[in-house]
Amino acid sequence: MNSHATILNNRDFDPVAWAEKIDKLLRDGKKEDVAHILASISNKQRQMLREPYKTKYGNDIVAALDKKFSGDMEKLVFALMDTPLEYDVKQLRGAMKGAGTNENTLIEIICTRTPDELKAIKAAYEREYDNQLDQEIASETSGGFKELLVKLVNGSRNARQDTDDEVARNDAKLLYTDGKDEASAKKEYSNFLIILATQNQNQLRKIFAEYERLSGGPIEKTISKKFGGDLAASYLAIVHTFSNMPAFFAAQMHAAMKGLGTRDNDLVRAIVTRSEIDLALIQEEYLKSHKKSLAEAVKSETSGTYCETLLQILHGNRKFA
């Protein structure tokens, strides 16, 4: 059992009975109850609804749900019903198709997923869309930002978790030198790009600690000073992800809700994708940073069934696990 997840397998779940229950509720127009059911079970259990629903009603359950939900609630239902892999693939596609590119989505997914997850995403993307993911990224981005994302989706990061103190010291020196030298830092293949794209998370933590010892300040300060735009955001995402993943996602959720209007797709993605991993820790980090709970923030920015379902995911289903 994942002690930091909010959504776990529901011990009372019965795929056949629950598929029938969902169909009846959809026919009766009780969408709020359907949303409540979907948020009360794990992603694995949601997938188990597909076969009995199709067998009994001759229809895909997602298509049936799609007919009944719209707007932000539709986004949330799709996020719940897709497998994590399917959802990441669709989010990347959505971030690149049409006018403009949603760089925030590309950064969040590509800079936070493990090498194995990225390998699976790349293969699934290419199966689904008959296009090379790295080529699509390259056509939608530019400069160091493009090089970093392409390297990551092509498996540049070391998947092993071993560390080497001497390598960490040497890499920290290279970064420190680059950080002081304007020209080196701006080069397309700077040491920042190579090291942040290739070293494993444990090694990166050692490198960041060595860098701070050398420079007297955190590496984030140098990144913010030397780089700009999407490249800086990507480097910072990698640093924050490997230093404190829950704090990174707490910041993502805050950014999705601050200012005029809410970036609902970003909010849904962050809450749903972390619900079976570390959403409990993210809520702790959010409270620490913003002096109010994530649930309070969500309540003030959303409404109706959409709000209630997000809050249900935040509160979790542990009492049924």
Side-chain angles (χ1 to χ4, degrees), residues 87-88 91-92 102-113 145 149 233-234 237 241 245 248-249 252-253 256 263 265-271 273-274:
Y87 187 65
D88 277 351
Q91 285 286 298
L92 289 174
N102 185 330
E103 289 84 5
N104 182 60
T105 301
L106 297 181
I107 291 167
E108 185 184 299
I109 294 174
I110 294 169
C111 295
T112 67
R113 302 305 188 252
F145 180 52
L149 297 188
S234 304
T241 293
M245 182 85 84
F248 170 77
F249 276 100
Q252 288 289 94
M253 292 177 199
R263 299 201 315 259
N265 187 59
D266 291 350
L267 182 63
V268 166
R269 183 179 63 248
I271 288 176
T273 58
R274 306 311 295 185

Side-chain angles (χ1 to χ4, degrees), residues 18-37:
W18 287 40
E20 289 174 6
K21 196 191 301 185
I22 287 171
D23 184 71
K24 185 175 186 314
L25 290 168
L26 288 174
R27 281 187 281 111
D28 292 346
K30 295 181 175 174
K31 294 187 290 187
E32 301 86 354
D33 293 338
V34 173
H36 174 72
I37 286 173

Side-chain angles (χ1 to χ4, degrees), residues 22 25-26 30-41 46 65 69 73 76-77 80 305-306 308-309 312-313:
I22 287 171
L25 290 168
L26 288 174
K30 295 181 175 174
K31 294 187 290 187
E32 301 86 354
D33 293 338
V34 173
H36 174 72
I37 286 173
L38 295 179
S40 73
I41 57 179
R46 291 179 211 125
L65 291 163
F69 291 97
M73 196 59 219
L76 181 51
V77 167
L80 290 167
T305 307
Y306 173 53
E308 287 161 19
T309 311
Q312 188 183 337
I313 296 166

Side-chain angles (χ1 to χ4, degrees), residues 122-189:
K122 186 171 189 282
Y125 191 98
E126 288 161 13
R127 271 197 313 275
E128 184 66 27
Y129 301 112
D130 200 25
N131 269 324
Q132 298 288 318
L133 177 57
D134 56 350
Q135 288 176 15
E136 291 212 353
I137 289 168
S139 72
E140 295 291 327
T141 56
S142 60
F145 180 52
K146 173 186 78 174
E147 299 302 336
L148 177 69
L149 297 188
V150 167
K151 267 181 167 296
L152 289 171
V153 299
N154 282 331
S156 66
R157 187 169 314 290
N158 176 1
R160 293 168 59 189
Q161 297 307 314
D162 53 337
T163 62
D164 185 313
D165 289 345
E166 191 180 347
V167 170
R169 282 191 292 274
N170 290 337
D171 280 352
K173 281 178 197 161
L174 291 171
L175 294 176
Y176 181 62
T177 304
D178 263 17
K180 288 199 299 184
D181 181 350
E182 198 75 37
S184 294
K186 297 294 182 193
K187 276 194 306 198
E188 213 159 275
Y189 284 99

Side-chain angles (χ1 to χ4, degrees), residues 187-204:
K187 276 194 306 198
E188 213 159 275
Y189 284 99
S190 76
N191 286 309
F192 274 88
L193 195 150
I194 293 161
I195 291 165
L196 292 179
T198 58
Q199 295 289 14
N200 72 53
Q201 59 180 13
N202 293 337
Q203 185 68 14
L204 281 174

